[in-house]
Amino acid sequence: MDLEAIAPILEDIIRQSLYEKRYQFGFANYKGRSNKVASGTLARSVEVKVKGGSRNISRREFLQGKTGNDGLQVLQVLMAEYGQWVQSGRMAGKGFVPVGSLMKWIKQRGLKGRDKKGRYMTDKSFAYAIQKNINKFGIRPANFLDISIQKIMNDPRIIELLGDAAYEDLINTIEGI
């Protein structure tokens, strides 16, 4: 199986999943769908590497219980650290999101907050209000990696490279999801 040819296809599928307008947001009176891209940093950080291959081990490593990976290769999905929060969401009451990150997100999305009287707020005040709201209610999980796996299983490029018999082997070799 040529994992080197599959890695860029997986990167592309994961990035496309982030750009799709399928992720719910809002509350009872205002609901919508959006993508998970503000600046594109997370999407650009997605990288799939082929890890492993055969390696010889020393007698000492063998006696210590270490073994070579016997030619086994895996696909490792790497991304920016905050990708875990986008994937799995954030539970209510679990600390505060950094205000600096929220201010950056507000500017990238072009958002303007208003107070109870309808007056515009400063970006910093708006960021603190969002921070408090996230702490109180949390953030829904996006599960973009789960969506990506579903797409991987139906992608014609991968079908062509692997054939029908290798689907389960591919899903089992993806590491980091």
Side-chain angles (χ1 to χ4, degrees), residues 1-163:
M1 174 178 348
D2 186 15
L3 295 181
E4 293 290 342
I6 294 171
I9 297 170
L10 296 181
E11 286 178 5
D12 184 46
I13 290 171
I14 294 169
R15 287 183 183 133
Q16 285 176 1
S17 295
L18 286 167
Y19 279 99
E20 287 180 357
K21 289 192 176 196
R22 68 179 303 144
Y23 306 101
Q24 293 181 351
F25 67 87
F27 50 92
N29 296 331
Y30 180 77
K31 292 183 179 178
R33 294 186 183 273
S34 184
N35 61 28
K36 288 294 178 183
V37 179
S39 67
T41 303
L42 179 60
R44 283 191 304 273
S45 75
V46 172
E47 185 178 359
V48 178
K49 288 186 174 182
V50 178
K51 182 180 166 187
S54 62
R55 94 174 168 88
N56 296 325
I57 61 168
S58 68
R59 183 174 187 275
R60 181 178 182 189
E61 287 176 314
F62 179 76
L63 293 173
Q64 292 174 345
K66 298 178 183 175
T67 61
N69 53 11
D70 300 325
L72 178 66
Q73 292 183 316
V74 294
L75 292 167
Q76 185 176 34
V77 178
L78 305 169
M79 69 184 80
E81 187 178 347
Y82 71 92
Q84 68 180 341
W85 304 115
V86 176
Q87 165 66 14
S88 58
R90 189 175 184 103
M91 289 181 63
K94 292 288 183 182
F96 291 97
V97 178
V99 173
S101 298
L102 289 173
M103 287 179 60
K104 195 173 171 184
W105 179 79
I106 288 167
K107 288 179 183 172
Q108 289 165 343
R109 287 282 179 164
L111 302 174
K112 281 292 185 189
R114 293 182 183 253
D115 63 13
K116 290 180 181 179
K117 294 182 180 180
R119 297 176 298 200
Y120 285 111
M121 306 168 76
T122 65
D123 285 347
K124 191 170 188 174
S125 296
F126 190 33
Y128 275 106
I130 292 171
Q131 180 192 56
K132 185 176 178 182
N133 216 26
I134 290 172
N135 187 22
K136 186 174 180 181
F137 299 107
I139 300 175
R140 285 184 188 144
N143 297 321
F144 69 94
L145 292 173
D146 301 337
I147 292 164
S148 299
I149 287 185
Q150 292 301 317
K151 288 181 175 186
I152 289 166
M153 294 177 71
N154 297 318
D155 191 279
R157 299 172 290 180
I158 293 178
I159 292 171
E160 185 178 314
L161 286 170
L162 296 179

